[in-house]
């Protein structure tokens, strides 16, 4: 493992390479312990580059075993080779030349899962961001693009399948017991998009005809026997291909598109050209083993990786600082796809909930960084919710500011200008500025400044003048390295709702730009005045969450109720409910802390029950309304001195009050027909299940017995209902006989299904309270626990740290100490996994004092540990700073 060197990379230091890579020819002789890699690289010196400049190639834990220049051995005096670099001097000044590097690697011992590794007997690669340098010496940076030819040689036994990027060239027998296959990828690509897979897998095949008539073979490779579970992924792939043609005018560009599902993978999936590699959790599904959420994730991630073919692959990133150029844009695209496949408002609500619960805390804590950062120590630590989800929000704001037509023109211009290139965020923004004629320079601060703006809202209505005036003030708190913030361009979609429920059409708006229902806040302080408003309006602002900001707006409860009941923007309705619920939950938390009683506002209860019971609204929306702000949301809103136990008690007491008041409604919903209907993963059916299951959760609070959940468990005919029933049992009645029985039955029934066992682990790891830690320690000794499998580690340690506030934030700090031990141990095998789980500690400073002390001590244990990876040392360093 590479240990920390403390080196920092700066965006300002970017310069192009001295050598241009013309083509790449790789030959692999696969062996589990001793794979031979031969790389033939044709370079020429870049015009204008120093004629003496050496060629410097990246490596990571490599040993050089052969080096030729134009087929002739290079004398030792002409180069320096270390495990992490290869420097060759005295290369031709004018003519192209070929470098041939030979080295041997050991995939079997590669537990980092970066570079070439083994998973369940299959050879597999992960190269983004800097994994290719663990395969061979190479200019391993995203602005070095070339066509690749790849020849794979391997024992026939165990490796009938030999895959790489591009189109299949041919293959056949090689020598005694071995065969080969050759692939050619004509589209110039950076090394991070390289992939190789070899082994013995089953396949599901289909075809897609592109809009211009190109026939594309589609193949999804999975472990033998799991083929039926790839059907939904295949369906999602075909829908993605069609959607990208229709919505973005993007067509697929090779003869074949392959997806391989593997069980050991650090992240969700990877968009390697023509050969996506997936965490099998995001491919495999059937009604018995996958929940509605699993299906939705598969659809989303299959689409995401496919969409990268244009936004990421055809146009890639100039350097890793530009990561959000491909990730933010591609998340925006997958969000839009899911919105079109499912319910747009419900998708928006879910995305915003996720943004607020994951990205907002990141943006206000020690790990805050802009979507386009300008320094990093470890790029793997920048695959963050800021780069991805906030990056998507920034793209969405461009669409809001420009309007659909100009946004489309800007996208087309971007594709036209930069196809085949490695681009920057500036290139992207310029395409929109040029296509629309709009100045986006102030807007660009969204890419370069961290932190979530706070917009304070105050308003006044003058009946005599029929004028509504709105005063807005924006501030952004300092973030690490950025003490002073500039005012941003914030597009706020709004509606003034009149007495009669109509949305007012103002005669004129003074004080700034207002167009198509969107107000453009560009100053630190700005007052807008809307004339021709015939009665005092109710202000609905930041509709559809048009800007990722926090609002400070003391809106009265009656106005919120009106919005919650009557807004036409369903996101705004949901937001109004949240704005009613959060203060109630905060008051409840304070009451618990002061030893008082939790009293839940009757208006809130009534509004919620009315909406949840309103059959004119779609069930998925009602289910979202029912899912109150989470304990983490409440902690964030409290903003400091967090006591997770008080929050937990207060939230539960509030739910109980609502459940008791709405008992009849919840019973009807829980017993609604559809229970037991044949399973279909479509959004409507999933929405009905989520409402029914939400009601079941509430009933567990009102009825206080496990009977109903136990019956639901026994009656369940699909994984959504089964896992939900089990979660009600484990969350509410962890010690009951019913729960123990259900857990045992679940374990036995799914003992040979790794993905379902992950659920079994995480359901138990999420059981609240002080007992969580011992339960998790015991589960780590279970025969099913596999310390080398990232999904399994996440399901136990990750669930404790990210999804069990009371269990993790035990007052005695024991869970923090446990996490520290785990991080240090995981880091030795898999630094990326360790660093990711460690980010769960990022909000430690907002804990109440004694917990914060314990957290700090645990973090110090980590930072004092010897031989930390760059990944963990970077995160712990920033968290403690
Ligand atoms: N590009 C991949 C995606 O879109 C993720 C790769 C993550 N790589 C990493 N080193 N964390 O989803
Ligand atoms: Zn991506």
């Amino acid at each position: 493992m590479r240990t920390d060197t403390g080196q920092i990379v700066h965006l300002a230091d970017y310069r192009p390479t001295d050598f241009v890579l013309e083509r790449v020819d790789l030959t692999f002789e696969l062996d589990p312990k001793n794979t031979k890699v031969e790389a033939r690289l044709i370079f020429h010196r870049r015009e204008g580059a120093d004629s003496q400049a050496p060629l410097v190639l990246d490596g990571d834990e490599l040993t050089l075993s052969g080096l030729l220049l134009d087929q002739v051995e290079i004398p030792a005096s002409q180069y320096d080779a270390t495990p992490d670099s290869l420097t060759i001097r005295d290369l031709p000044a004018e003519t192209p030349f070929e470098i041939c590097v030979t080295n041997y690697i050991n995939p079997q011992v590669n537990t980092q899962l970066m570079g070439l590794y083994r998973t369940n007997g299959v050879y597999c690669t992960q190269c983004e961001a800097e994994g290719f340098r663990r395969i061979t010496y190479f200019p391993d940076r995203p602005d070095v693009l070339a066509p690749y030819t790849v020849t794979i040689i391997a024992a026939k036994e165990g490796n009938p399948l030999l895959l790489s990027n591009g189109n299949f060239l041919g293959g056949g027998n090689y020598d005694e017991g071995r065969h080969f296959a050759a692939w050619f990828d004509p589209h110039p690509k950076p090394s991070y998009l390289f992939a190789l897979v070899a082994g013995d897998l089953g396949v599901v095949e289909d075809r897609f005809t592109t809009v211009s008539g190109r026939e594309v073979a589609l193949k999804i490779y999975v472990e033998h026997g799991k083929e039926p579970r790839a059907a939904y992924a295949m369906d999602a792939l075909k829908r993605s291909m069609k959607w990208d043609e229709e919505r973005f005018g993007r067509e697929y560009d090779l003869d074949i598109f392959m997806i391989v599902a593997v069980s050991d993978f650090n992240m969700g999936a990877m968009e390697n050209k023509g050969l996506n590699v997936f965490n099998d959790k995001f491919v495999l599904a059937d009604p018995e083993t996958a929940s509605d959420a699993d299906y939705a994730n598969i659809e989303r991630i299959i689409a995401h990786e496919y969409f990268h073919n244009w936004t990421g692959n055809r146009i890639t990133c100039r350097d890793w600082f530009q990561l959000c150029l491909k990730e933010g844009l591609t998340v925006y695209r997958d969000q839009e796809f899911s919105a079109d496949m499912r319910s747009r408002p419900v998708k928006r609500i879910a995305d915003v909930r996720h943004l607020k619960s994951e990205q907002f805390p990141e943006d206000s804590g020690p790990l805050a960084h802009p979507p386009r950062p300008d320094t990093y120590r470890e790029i793997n630590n920048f695959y963050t919710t800021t780069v991805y989800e906030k990056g998507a929000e920034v793209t969405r704001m461009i669409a809001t500011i420009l309007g659909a037509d100009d946004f489309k023109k800007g996208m087309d211009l971007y594709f036209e200008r930069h196809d085949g290139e490695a681009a920057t965020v500036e290139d992207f923004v310029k395409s929109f500025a040029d296509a629309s004629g709009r100045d986006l320079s102030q807007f660009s601060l969204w890419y370069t400044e961290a932190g979530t703006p706070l917009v304070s809202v105050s308003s006044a209505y003058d009946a005599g003048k029929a004028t509504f005036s709105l005063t807005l003030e924006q501030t952004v708190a300092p973030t690490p390295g950025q003490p002073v913030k500039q005012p941003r361009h914030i597009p706020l979609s709004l509606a003034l709702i009149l007495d009669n429920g109509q949305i007012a059409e103002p005669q004129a708006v003074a004080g700034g730009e207002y167009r198509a229902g969107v107000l453009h806040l560009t100053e630190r302080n700005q007052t807008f005045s809307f004339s021709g408003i015939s009665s005092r309006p109710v202000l609905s602002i930041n509709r559809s969450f048009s800007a990722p900001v926090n609002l400070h707006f003391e809106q009265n409860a009656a106005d919120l109720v009106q919005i919650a009941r009557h807004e036409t923007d369903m996101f705004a309705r949901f937001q109004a409910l949240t704005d009613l619920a959060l203060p109630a939950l905060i008051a409840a938390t304070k009451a618990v802390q002061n030893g008082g009683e939790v009293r839940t506002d009757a208006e809130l209860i009534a509004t919620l029950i009315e909406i949840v019971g309103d059959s004119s609204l779609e069930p998925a929306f009602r289910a979202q309304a029912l899912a109150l702000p989470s304990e983490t949301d409440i902690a964030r809103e409290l903003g400091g001195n967090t006591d997770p136990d008080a929050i937990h008690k207060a939230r539960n007491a509030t739910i109980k009050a609502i459940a008791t008041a709405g008992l009849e409604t919840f019973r009807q919903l829980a017993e609604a027909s559809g229970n037991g209907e044949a399973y279909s993963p479509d959004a409507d059916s999933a929405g009905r299940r989520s409402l029914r299951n939400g009601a079941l959760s509430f009933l567990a609070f009102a009825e206080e017995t496990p009977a109903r959940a136990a019956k639901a468990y026994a009656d369940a005919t699909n994984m959504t209902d089964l896992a939900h029933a089990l979660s009600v049992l484990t969350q509410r009645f962890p010690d009951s006989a019913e729960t123990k029985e259900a857990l045992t039955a679940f374990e036995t029934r799914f003992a040979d299904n790794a993905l379902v066992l992950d659920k079994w682990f995480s359901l138990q790891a999420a059981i609240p309270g002080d007992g969580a830690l011992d339960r998790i320690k015991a589960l780590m000794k279970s025969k099913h626990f596999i310390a080398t499998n990232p999904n399994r580690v996440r399901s136990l340690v990750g669930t404790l740290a990210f999804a069990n506030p009371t269990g993790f934030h035990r007052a005695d700090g024991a869970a923090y100490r446990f996490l520290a031990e785990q991080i240090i141990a995981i880091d030795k095998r898999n630094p990326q996994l360790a660093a990711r789980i460690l980010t769960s500690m990022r909000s430690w400073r907002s804990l109440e004092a004694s917990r914060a002390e314990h957290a700090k001590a645990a973090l110090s244990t980590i930072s004092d540990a010897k031989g930390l990876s760059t990944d963990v040392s970077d995160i712990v360093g920033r968290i403690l700073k």
Side-chain angles (χ1 to χ4, degrees):
M1 184 184 80
R2 243 187 329 173
T3 50
D4 187 23
T5 61
Q7 254 186 41
I8 296 178
V9 189
H10 297 271
L11 170 59
D13 293 343
Y14 173 83
R15 55 181 207 94
T17 54
D18 289 321
F19 294 89
V20 176
L21 180 60
E22 293 182 9
R23 26 172 317 151
V24 177
D25 193 335
L26 302 171
T27 305
F28 289 84
E29 289 186 46
L30 295 176
D31 178 273
K33 295 202 191 82
N34 196 33
T35 287
K36 181 181 179 190
V37 186
E38 197 180 87
R40 291 171 191 278
L41 312 175
I42 300 188
F43 289 102
H44 67 258
R45 204 174 286 265
R46 188 184 297 278
E47 233 186 273
D50 177 358
S51 64
Q52 293 304 303
L55 173 66
V56 184
L57 303 179
D58 304 299
D60 181 2
E61 297 190 307
L62 295 181
T63 324
L64 182 70
S65 61
L67 185 60
L68 311 178
L69 169 61
D70 291 327
Q71 329 247 348
V72 180
E73 200 174 313
I74 306 186
S77 59
Q78 205 183 325
Y79 69 87
D80 293 311
T82 70
D84 47 39
S85 78
L86 171 60
T87 306
I88 312 171
R89 292 174 288 271
D90 304 325
L91 291 166
E94 314 256 313
T95 49
F97 56 89
E98 184 196 83
I99 295 289
C100 177
V101 176
T102 307
N103 65 289
Y104 290 82
I105 49 179
N106 184 345
Q108 193 85 63
V109 300
N110 183 353
T111 57
Q112 299 184 26
L113 315 184
M114 284 297 274
L116 177 66
Y117 65 96
R118 300 271 286 168
T119 162
N120 273 347
V122 173
Y123 293 91
C124 163
T125 55
Q126 170 58 34
C127 294
E128 184 178 4
E130 298 179 334
F132 194 78
R133 62 184 66 184
R134 297 172 53 74
I135 295 174
T136 186
Y137 290 105
F138 199 83
D140 190 16
R141 42 187 279 175
D143 61 343
V144 175
L145 282 70
Y148 283 54
T149 308
V150 178
T151 307
I152 309 168
I153 301 160
K156 288 183 197 168
E157 166 95 46
N159 304 292
L161 215 64
L162 306 171
L163 311 177
S164 191
N165 319 84
N167 296 322
F168 181 63
L169 282 183
N173 284 324
Y174 188 73
D175 59 11
E176 188 64 37
R178 296 201 293 177
H179 66 158
F180 78 99
W183 294 82
F184 176 61
D185 181 3
H187 299 283
K189 69 165 173 291
S191 50
Y192 83 86
L193 292 173
F194 166 80
L196 176 156
V197 172
D200 189 358
L201 293 166
V203 66
V204 176
E205 299 187 70
D206 210 324
R207 308 196 64 76
F208 182 82
T209 309
T210 70
V211 62
S212 72
R214 180 195 276 273
E215 280 288 309
V216 183
L218 308 178
K219 301 191 191 233
I220 301 185
Y221 294 97
V222 298
E223 281 168 17
H224 286 291
K226 297 184 176 170
E227 294 87 346
R229 287 163 68 197
Y232 185 76
M234 182 63 89
D235 177 59
L237 174 61
K238 289 189 287 181
R239 286 185 282 122
S240 305
M241 295 178 84
K242 184 123 178 41
W243 186 89
D244 212 16
E245 291 180 346
E246 289 170 355
R247 174 73 184 268
F248 281 89
R250 298 297 111 200
E251 195 176 337
Y252 189 62
D253 55 8
L254 289 166
D255 302 337
I256 180 167
F257 185 80
M258 298 175 280
I259 290 174
V260 179
V262 300
S263 49
D264 297 283
F265 205 66
N266 274 346
M267 41 249 161
M270 180 62 212
E271 69 264 23
N272 318 298
K273 183 78 188 191
L275 179 54
N276 289 184
V277 177
F278 271 64
N279 186 327
D280 60 2
K281 165 187 167 99
F282 298 120
V283 172
L284 301 175
D286 62 23
E288 198 199 341
T289 61
S291 66
D292 291 330
D294 294 327
Y295 278 94
N297 277 330
I298 290 169
E299 178 177 77
R300 168 175 77 81
I301 297 177
I302 292 275
H304 179 96
E305 306 308 332
Y306 174 73
F307 296 158
H308 268 315
N309 190 54
W310 275 95
T311 52
N313 302 2
R314 289 288 288 253
I315 306 182
T316 193
C317 299
R318 187 192 73 173
D319 52 69
W320 290 120
F321 297 102
Q322 319 296 329
L323 183 58
C324 79
L325 173 67
K326 74 177 177 81
E327 295 303 347
L329 173 56
T330 305
V331 171
Y332 170 74
R333 278 152 51 69
D334 81 54
Q335 288 176 349
E336 285 296 293
F337 170 73
S338 295
D340 281 349
M341 296 296 127
R342 292 164 179 261
S343 154
R344 181 164 283 270
V346 172
K347 172 65 177 159
R348 188 66 187 139
I349 292 167
D351 287 342
V352 174
R353 286 190 98 137
H354 174 74
L355 183 82
K356 287 191 173 180
S357 73
E358 306 298 324
Q359 200 277 327
F360 278 28
E362 178 166 279
D363 225 359
S364 65
L367 300 180
H369 56 275
R372 210 276 297 277
D374 51 19
T375 59
Y376 62 76
R377 271 171 69 190
E378 173 53 67
I379 187 55
N380 286 322
N381 288 338
F382 282 82
Y383 288 77
T384 59
T385 168
T386 296
V387 167
Y388 278 65
E389 278 78 18
K390 186 171 181 179
E393 292 301 321
V394 176
T395 309
R396 184 174 297 279
M397 282 190 286
I398 297 179
T400 302
I401 291 173
L402 265 55
D405 290 350
D406 280 353
F407 181 74
K408 172 112 194 2
K409 281 187 205 146
M411 282 302 311
D412 289 345
L413 188 58
Y414 174 66
F415 289 124
E416 189 185 308
R417 278 186 182 165
H418 300 291
D419 185 13
E421 288 180 9
T424 61
V425 163
E426 281 79 2
D427 293 329
F428 181 65
V429 175
K430 192 166 188 314
S431 299
F432 292 105
D434 291 352
S436 67
R438 190 153 185 137
D439 182 357
L440 292 172
S441 44
Q442 183 187 13
F443 180 81
S444 297
L445 291 169
W446 281 104
Y447 283 106
T448 54
E449 290 198 355
T452 307
L454 173 65
V455 176
S456 303
V457 182
S458 59
S459 66
Y461 178 65
D462 184 331
K465 295 193 179 125
T467 300
F468 177 77
S469 69
L470 181 61
T471 300
L472 303 172
E473 181 186 7
Q474 55 162 313
T475 52
V476 186
T479 53
Q482 293 185 330
V484 183
K485 305 287 183 178
Q486 309 297 312
R488 301 211 193 145
H489 179 174
I490 302 177
L492 291 167
S493 167
L494 64 79
L496 302 180
I497 304 166
L498 300 174
D499 278 350
N500 58 7
Q502 296 287 310
I503 292 178
E505 282 291 340
Q507 276 163 10
V509 179
E513 183 181 351
Y514 174 82
R515 234 177 357 118
V518 178
L519 184 148
H520 297 255
L521 173 62
T522 54
E523 316 274 322
R524 215 174 278 286
N525 287 287
Q526 214 167 342
T527 298
F528 294 82
S529 99
F530 298 75
S531 53
I533 308 299
S534 56
S535 62
R536 187 194 78 90
V538 170
L539 171 64
S540 177
I541 189 164
N542 209 15
R543 300 174 94 201
S544 296
F545 209 65
S546 60
V549 300
N550 280 307
L551 283 182
H552 178 79
F553 183 17
E554 307 221 327
Q555 199 159 21
N556 68 54
D559 285 4
L560 288 171
V561 169
Q562 156 126 5
I563 296 172
R565 291 203 169 123
H566 304 300
E567 241 283 33
T568 50
D569 181 276
M570 295 306 282
F571 174 81
R573 283 205 193 190
F574 167 80
Q575 184 60 52
L577 275 177
T578 305
D579 292 343
L580 283 166
L582 261 178
L585 291 161
I586 300 242
T589 304
K590 295 201 168 132
V592 170
Q593 276 170 321
N594 301 329
E597 219 181 291
V598 170
R599 268 192 224 100
T600 309
D601 179 60
E603 177 111 63
L604 168 66
I605 296 181
T607 310
L608 204 62
I609 293 171
E610 180 194 310
I611 287 176
V612 167
D614 181 348
S615 57
S616 72
L617 299 170
E618 64 173 316
F621 173 82
R622 293 148 69 197
Q624 283 286 4
L626 198 49
L628 293 185
S630 70
E631 291 172 28
T632 319
D633 295 334
I634 301 168
R636 189 179 66 251
E637 191 68 17
L638 274 161
N641 198 19
T642 309
D643 173 354
D645 293 320
I647 294 175
H648 181 73
K649 284 202 190 92
R651 185 173 182 274
N652 282 1
T654 307
I655 294 178
K656 184 169 179 187
I658 298 166
T660 310
L663 198 58
E664 273 324 303
T665 304
F666 293 123
R667 283 194 175 142
Q668 272 172 26
L669 291 172
E671 288 154 16
S673 65
N675 231 337
E677 75 190 10
Y679 183 87
S680 154
D682 71 89
D684 286 343
S685 313
R688 285 195 295 278
R689 279 185 289 273
S690 66
L691 180 58
R692 207 163 56 227
N693 283 327
L696 183 69
S697 293
F698 270 62
L699 288 173
F701 282 86
E703 298 174 339
E704 288 185 330
T705 127
R708 188 185 288 270
K711 177 162 189 326
Y713 184 86
D715 293 349
T717 56
N718 59 68
M719 181 51 76
T720 304
D721 293 340
L722 191 73
H724 183 83
L726 191 52
S727 110
V728 174
L729 287 169
T730 49
Q731 287 282 310
R732 297 299 308 146
F733 313 102
D735 302 318
S736 72
E738 288 86 341
T739 301
K740 287 184 182 130
E741 210 175 286
L743 278 170
T744 309
F746 194 90
E747 178 190 2
T748 313
R749 177 168 166 198
F750 298 108
D752 60 358
N753 185 316
L755 298 176
V756 185
L757 282 178
D758 289 339
K759 296 182 200 295
W760 182 78
F761 277 109
S762 68
L763 281 166
Q764 295 178 80
I767 297 175
D770 281 359
L773 182 57
D774 288 336
R775 194 174 292 115
I776 285 163
K777 286 182 177 167
L779 284 166
M780 287 180 77
K781 299 208 173 84
S782 135
K783 63 172 187 241
H784 302 301
F785 187 71
I786 310 164
T788 52
N789 178 252
N791 287 353
R792 196 53 55 86
V793 173
R794 280 187 284 257
S795 71
L796 265 188
V797 187
T799 300
L800 172 68
F802 287 107
N804 188 343
T806 53
F808 187 47
H809 301 289
R810 245 171 90 136
D812 65 3
Y816 306 145
R817 291 188 287 280
F818 167 78
L819 188 80
E821 282 163 28
Q822 290 302 312
I823 295 299
I824 293 168
I826 298 167
D827 191 38
K828 298 205 182 341
R829 307 186 283 274
N830 189 333
Q832 264 184 50
L833 180 63
R836 177 54 62 109
I837 296 177
L838 179 57
T839 62
S840 60
M841 296 287 280
R842 68 185 169 201
S843 300
W844 69 275
R845 276 182 212 274
S846 46
L847 294 164
E848 56 77 26
S850 79
R851 285 180 172 89
E853 260 324 293
H854 288 306
K856 185 176 183 182
L859 286 164
S860 305
T861 320
I862 300 175
S863 73
D864 292 345
K866 298 253 164 351
L868 288 182
S869 66
T870 314
D871 308 58
V872 165
S873 133
D874 170 42
I875 297 284
V876 74
R878 283 191 281 150
I879 291 186
L880 273 174
K881 205 165 170 183

